[in-house]
Amino acid sequence: MLSNLDYLYNLKREGIKFDLDVMRGFAEMIGHPENKFKSFHITGSNGKGSTSEFIYSILRRRYSSGLYTSPHLIKFNERIIVNDEMIPDAYIDAFVDKYRQMIEDLARINRNPTFFEVTTMMAFQYFSDMNAEYASVEVGLGGRLDATNIVTPLVSVITQVGYEHADKLGCSLTSIAYEKGGIIKNGRPIVLQDQKPEVVKTIRSIAQVRNSRLIMLDPQKIRNLSLSEDGTVFDFEGLNGDYHLETSLIGEYQALNAATAVLAIEASNVDVNKNEIEEGIKNARWPGRLEIISRNPLIIIDAAHNPPAVNKMVSTFRKVFTKKPLIVAGILSDKDSYAYFHVIRQISDSIIFTTPEEKERAVDPKKLYDLYGHLFTDARVLPDPIEAINDAISRSDFILVTGSIYLIGAIKEYLENKGRKLPVSSINSL
């Protein structure tokens, strides 16, 4: 018999559905849990997860708070956090037991709720049951018709907008920005990180129609930026004053994400002080983004998987690390592998092509070798990711695992289970 978690995963056969009718019906049937807490709603092609974590961490300094993100790195429970604790297995089981019939009834009325729709409703119900006062809610895909878009947040946030999921969001930055801008609610502020003219124009237009205050991040207000293996340090001039911010997350783009989170908190008028904001940024943890998971050998994992993300990752990598790593990489079929490997070659001459733990969408590493192996002096194929990381450890004292969250999650879990001491702790790590 299927476990309740397997039952949820089996709903993935429904794929991604771009409409809100089922979510609205589901919410109505269980009493609108999305209205039982105050929310922040965050979307973007890149940076939305880190920004969601920064917002949550600030709120957590004073309030009972929730965090909803996707996908998970190692374990499903990572997606739903309240007060630094993952949702328990028992709650997942109880939720599915209670609402399985309702899920199947919805299929007869309209269509079967998808995996992400049910998971989103579970998160909202859990936040309600746990009496969370606030929640930081990350969009799954797009925004306008994403399952999370039944919330009416205190503030909406858009990080970076890039070319992604053209089959669902459109082929231009304007069309993608329009879908992202769908999370803007009437009379509620919108914080925009992206500076690209077509994105700004689109979001400004939506904000005007919805009478929403548009707050744009000015990168010039980020000063005295310093990057190291220990993280990112900078000063930021916010809406309400100046902040000295430190985070263990590495990268100029993480300074942008942290500053965006500060603007969102300020725009919400939530009662937190300067010290709580600074402590929230300092205590934020977001695994899988230039995360050092071992010091000896030095092993770094990074989930960059699209051109803007890998460009920023490579730029940061070159500023922080002077040595070239041995890369262990795998990628999914819906990602731009050509751009990815032509950028990643800038920081290494050696690579092992392997397979992410998402067999249905993973690109055959032999195909990657045939297409991109010539870009590297030393390239080999080891389809099994565990064999790949062990081979890398036997040959190098500096390793970068990248390309897919499904790859870095599998390798991180394997190394943890081997008992390798990981120096960076995280509420999302097991």
Side-chain angles (χ1 to χ4, degrees):
M1 182 177 177
L2 287 177
S3 70
N4 283 340
L5 191 55
D6 286 334
Y7 174 80
L8 285 181
Y9 281 128
N10 274 355
L11 294 175
K12 282 190 172 184
R13 68 181 183 275
E14 299 295 325
I16 297 170
K17 303 297 184 183
F18 244 36
D19 70 75
L20 291 176
D21 291 345
V22 168
M23 277 299 289
R24 287 172 177 148
F26 201 172
E28 176 73 25
M29 293 168 79
I30 71 173
H32 288 288
E34 75 279 8
N35 296 332
K36 305 294 176 59
F37 51 88
K38 297 173 183 176
S39 61
F40 290 73
H41 201 194
I42 303 94
T43 191
S45 304
N46 293 301
K48 61 180 177 174
S50 301
T51 303
S52 299
E53 163 66 15
F54 282 128
I55 290 171
Y56 160 79
S57 186
I58 293 169
L59 294 168
R60 180 71 187 102
R61 296 313 103 197
R62 184 179 293 202
Y63 301 101
S64 175
S65 303
L67 174 65
Y68 179 51
T69 59
S70 61
H72 57 270
L73 195 58
I74 295 175
K75 187 177 182 182
F76 173 88
N77 311 57
E78 298 168 27
R79 293 168 179 251
I80 304 170
I81 304 285
V82 172
N83 298 338
D84 301 350
E85 296 291 336
M86 292 183 289
I87 186 172
D89 291 340
Y91 188 96
I92 298 169
D93 284 334
F95 182 89
V96 175
D97 284 341
K98 184 174 183 178
Y99 295 115
R100 185 187 297 226
Q101 188 59 54
M102 188 178 294
I103 291 167
E104 291 166 5
D105 288 343
L106 281 165
R108 286 188 284 273
I109 297 169
N110 187 318
R111 61 166 171 78
N112 207 83
T114 65
F115 166 81
F116 188 70
E117 287 171 331
V118 175
T119 300
T120 299
M121 196 58 69
M122 182 191 300
F124 293 166
Q125 186 64 57
Y126 186 61
F127 295 158
S128 174
D129 289 344
M130 293 295 289
N131 298 314
E133 298 168 85
Y134 294 93
S136 182
V137 178
E138 180 193 15
V139 166
L141 175 63
R144 183 174 65 92
L145 296 175
D146 186 75
T148 61
N149 203 28
I150 62 171
V151 298
T152 302
L154 295 175
V155 178
S156 301
V157 179
I158 301 174
T159 56
Q160 293 295 310
V161 177
Y163 293 99
E164 59 167 359
H165 305 291
D167 58 325
K168 299 178 179 67
L169 304 182
C171 297
S172 69
L173 282 179
T174 298
S175 62
I176 296 169
Y178 172 77
E179 293 297 334
K180 307 289 187 191
I183 70 169
I184 301 172
K185 301 299 191 300
N186 290 329
R188 302 297 173 95
I190 169 70
V191 174
L192 176 63
Q193 180 188 116
D194 201 300
Q195 305 288 307
K196 292 186 283 295
E198 54 266 67
V199 173
V200 173
K201 181 180 178 181
T202 302
I203 299 307
R204 178 175 283 124
S205 177
I206 297 172
Q208 288 173 344
V209 168
R210 296 184 183 165
N211 194 31
S212 298
R213 178 189 179 195
L214 174 59
I215 300 164
M216 294 183 57
L217 173 67
D218 180 357
Q220 298 301 314
K221 294 188 176 180
I222 295 173
R223 303 185 181 98
N224 304 319
L225 181 69
S226 173
L227 305 178
S228 73
E229 290 187 24
D230 297 321
T232 307
V233 180
F234 63 101
D235 296 319
F236 176 59
E237 180 186 342
L239 300 175
N240 301 332
D242 296 333
Y243 303 89
H244 179 71
L245 300 174
E246 302 177 16
T247 173
S248 63
L249 279 65
I250 305 170
E252 293 176 3
Y253 54 94
Q254 295 298 2
L256 293 174
N257 295 334
T260 300
V262 172
L263 289 179
I265 292 292
E266 291 180 319
S268 72
N269 293 319
V270 171
D271 186 15
V272 292
N273 59 41
K274 176 182 177 180
N275 181 64
E276 288 165 333
I277 289 174
E278 292 177 341
E279 284 298 309
I281 297 299
K282 188 172 184 177
N283 283 277
R285 298 291 181 268
W286 193 237
R289 279 72 182 176
L290 281 181
E291 179 188 10
I292 297 172
I293 62 170
S294 171
R295 294 282 180 181
N296 186 24
L298 182 59
I299 302 176
I300 300 169
I301 59 174
D302 190 273
H305 57 265
N306 57 35
V310 72
N311 272 296
K312 290 177 180 176
M313 185 268 282
V314 165
S315 175
T316 298
F317 202 95
R318 295 171 81 170
K319 291 174 182 176
V320 176
F321 304 98
T322 56
K323 186 177 176 182
K324 292 184 177 182
L326 169 56
I327 294 174
V328 177
I331 201 164
L332 300 185
S333 59
D334 59 344
K335 308 306 176 187
D336 185 348
S337 61
Y338 179 88
Y340 186 86
F341 288 104
H342 276 79
V343 173
I344 204 76
R345 67 182 289 200
Q346 297 175 28
I347 58 171
S348 181
D349 303 318
S350 304
I351 192 167
I352 301 172
F353 295 104
T354 190
T355 315
E357 290 291 313
E358 177 71 3
K359 298 297 192 292
E360 292 180 359
R361 293 191 292 150
V363 179
D364 184 340
K366 179 62 167 63
K367 180 179 179 180
L368 293 177
Y369 177 87
D370 292 341
L371 289 170
Y372 310 117
H374 67 281
L375 299 175
F376 302 86
T377 304
D378 175 20
R380 63 178 65 186
V381 176
L382 291 172
D384 186 301
I386 305 309
E387 184 181 354
I389 190 62
N390 282 329
D391 179 74
I393 291 170
S394 73
R395 296 196 294 125
S396 176
D397 61 0
F398 186 23
I399 299 159
L400 171 65
V401 184
T402 185
S404 168
I405 196 168
Y406 297 98
L407 173 63
I408 69 172
I411 287 177
K412 180 173 182 175
E413 181 180 31
Y414 166 71
L415 293 178
E416 286 180 340
N417 287 342
K418 278 185 66 176
R420 188 177 298 277
K421 186 177 181 181
L422 304 181
V424 182
S425 62
S426 168
I427 61 169
N428 285 357
S429 300
L430 301 178

